[in-house]
């Protein structure tokens, strides 16, 4: 089965960019969406060689690099720098960052360890903040990983997924529990230190993305009070790739619970 996508119009529009302010965002988004669609289709067909080639194409795409930098320069944490103190405060900074996102010679900097209060107002949750370039690299490679993550995701998984949220989970629960024959109880579970204790070896062996780049994120270490500490487990809460990686680690838990306790599919 052969699939082709005409991206000439998008490529032509992108090729006219001279600086950050001249970027055609519509063309960039169109090119990336088409590549993600092709990745998803080949993943469904089980052609991993083709998937890997398309992932490489996406992560080396000028369009994807522009969107990655745009995301990290406009999201909630864009005013908080990593250990290098670099912020993307001007159009020139963003343009230069786009052209710096290269695999060759890439080395992730250690994370900046900060603490935020949990919802109870007493205990604190550690966050590992990457520098801006590492955030952009994570955003870039997550674009290539997300189509695979969505194909493999549990059907009734709602956390950290595009186009899904709390309201969708509430709606599904209401739909499933409102009938007379519905279950009368809901089981709530909590995975202790989920992000912190994920096995690096499992991630390397099972997450289908560029292993060289992935290892840089996992083994970057973190800085706290002027000292460098190693990271031997987990993915940092604060990294853009961490939610997608954690979801892929947990994929299959719905099926596992169904086999253990009986079918409970909510669709």
């Amino acid at each position: 089965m052969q699939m082709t996508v005409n991206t000439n119009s998008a490529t032509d529009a992108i090729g006219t960019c001279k600086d950050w302010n001249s970027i055609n965002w519509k063309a960039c988004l169109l090119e990336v969406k088409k590549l993600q669609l092709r990745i998803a289709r080949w993943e469904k067909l089980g052609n991993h060689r083709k998937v890997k080639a398309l992932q490489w194409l996406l992560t080396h795409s000028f369009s994807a690099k522009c969107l990655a930098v745009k995301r990290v320069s406009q999201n909630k944490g864009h005013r908080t720098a990593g250990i290098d103190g670099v912020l993307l405060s001007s159009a020139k900074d963003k343009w230069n960052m786009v052209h710096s996102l290269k695999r060759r010679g890439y080395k992730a900097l250690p994370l900046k360890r900060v603490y935020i209060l949990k919802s109870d107002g007493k205990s604190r949750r550690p966050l590992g903040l990457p520098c801006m370039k590492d955030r952009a690299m994570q955003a870039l490679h997550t674009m290539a990983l997300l189509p695979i993550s969505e194909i493999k995701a549990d059907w009734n998984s709602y956390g950290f997924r595009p186009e899904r949220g709390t309201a969708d989970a509430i709606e599904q629960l209401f739909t499933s529990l409102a009938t007379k024959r519905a279950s009368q109880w809901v089981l709530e579970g909590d995975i202790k230190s989920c992000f912190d204790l994920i096995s690096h070896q499992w991630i390397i062996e099972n997450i289908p993305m560029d292993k060289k780049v992935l290892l840089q994120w996992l083994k970057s270490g973190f800085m706290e009070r002027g000292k460098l500490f190693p990271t031997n487990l987990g993915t940092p809460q604060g990294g853009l790739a961490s939610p997608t990686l954690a979801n892929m680690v947990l994929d299959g838990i719905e099926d596992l619970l169904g086999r253990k306790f009986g079918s409970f599919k909510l669709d």
Side-chain angles (χ1 to χ4, degrees), residues 160 194-195 198 203 235 241-251:
F160 304 114
C194 177
F195 281 88
I198 294 173
I203 292 177
T235 59
S242 293
T244 301
L245 293 176
N247 272 344
M248 296 190 77
V249 170
L250 295 173
D251 284 342

Side-chain angles (χ1 to χ4, degrees), residues 4-258:
T4 58
V5 177
N6 182 11
T7 58
N8 289 338
S9 59
T11 304
D12 292 343
I14 294 164
T16 62
C17 296
K18 303 295 184 182
D19 54 36
W20 179 260
N21 294 321
S22 66
I23 294 174
N24 185 331
W25 294 109
K26 185 176 180 180
C28 287
L29 186 62
L30 178 62
E31 182 180 3
V32 170
K33 289 293 185 184
K34 285 182 176 179
L35 284 171
Q36 288 179 318
L37 179 60
R38 293 174 66 187
I39 291 171
R41 286 175 175 171
W42 284 112
E43 176 65 24
K44 275 189 174 181
L45 293 171
N47 191 327
H48 302 302
R49 183 186 61 83
K50 188 70 173 179
V51 167
K52 187 176 181 179
L54 288 167
Q55 284 183 305
W56 180 275
L57 184 62
L58 192 153
T59 56
H60 288 71
S61 159
F62 176 76
S63 296
K65 292 178 180 180
C66 288
L67 290 173
V69 173
K70 182 180 182 182
R71 179 180 177 186
V72 302
S73 63
Q74 294 182 355
N75 66 5
K76 189 175 180 180
H78 75 279
R79 292 189 178 91
T80 306
I83 65 166
D84 59 357
V86 172
L87 291 174
L88 300 177
S89 54
S90 69
K92 183 178 180 181
D93 293 336
K94 298 171 188 177
W95 184 249
N96 290 337
M97 182 62 75
V98 168
H99 293 282
S100 75
L101 299 182
K102 299 177 181 179
R103 180 182 186 271
R104 178 176 294 180
Y106 171 63
K107 183 172 178 58
L109 292 178
L111 305 168
K112 179 181 178 181
R113 174 58 58 91
V114 298
Y115 293 87
I116 61 171
L117 283 175
K118 292 185 178 181
S119 57
D120 59 14
K122 299 178 182 179
S123 55
R124 299 191 302 166
R125 174 184 291 111
L127 293 182
L129 299 181
C131 68
M132 282 295 176
K133 182 173 181 177
D134 292 334
R135 293 180 211 179
M137 285 292 283
Q138 289 193 26
L140 175 63
H141 284 266
T142 300
M143 288 183 207
L145 183 60
L146 199 58
I148 302 172
S149 173
E150 286 298 295
I151 291 292
K152 294 184 174 182
D154 289 341
W155 183 253
N156 291 296
S157 168
Y158 295 94
F160 304 114
R161 292 183 61 190
E163 309 300 330
R164 290 196 175 200
T166 306
D168 301 299
I170 293 172
E171 180 184 10
Q172 185 61 71
L173 284 169
F174 177 81
T175 301
S176 303
L177 300 174
T179 63
K180 292 182 179 179
R181 298 181 59 188
S183 300
Q184 299 301 306
W185 51 270
V186 174
L187 176 65
E188 179 182 1
D190 183 22
I191 302 175
K192 184 178 180 181
S193 302
C194 177
F195 281 88
D196 299 329
L197 299 178
I198 294 173
S199 165
H200 283 184
Q201 189 62 36
W202 192 96
I203 292 177
I204 293 298
E205 292 176 358
N206 294 277
I207 300 298
M209 64 164 288
D210 191 315
K211 307 302 182 185
K212 180 180 177 181
V213 174
L214 182 56
L215 272 171
Q216 287 292 320
W217 301 344
L218 297 178
K219 302 299 184 182
S220 64
F222 67 91
M223 294 291 296
E224 185 173 15
R225 298 177 182 176
K227 294 183 179 181
L228 177 63
F229 296 88
T231 47
N232 298 316
L233 286 172
T235 59
Q237 294 188 58
L240 289 171
S242 293
T244 301
L245 293 176
N247 272 344
M248 296 190 77
V249 170
L250 295 173
D251 284 342
I253 195 170
E254 184 175 334
D255 183 57
L256 178 65
L257 292 174

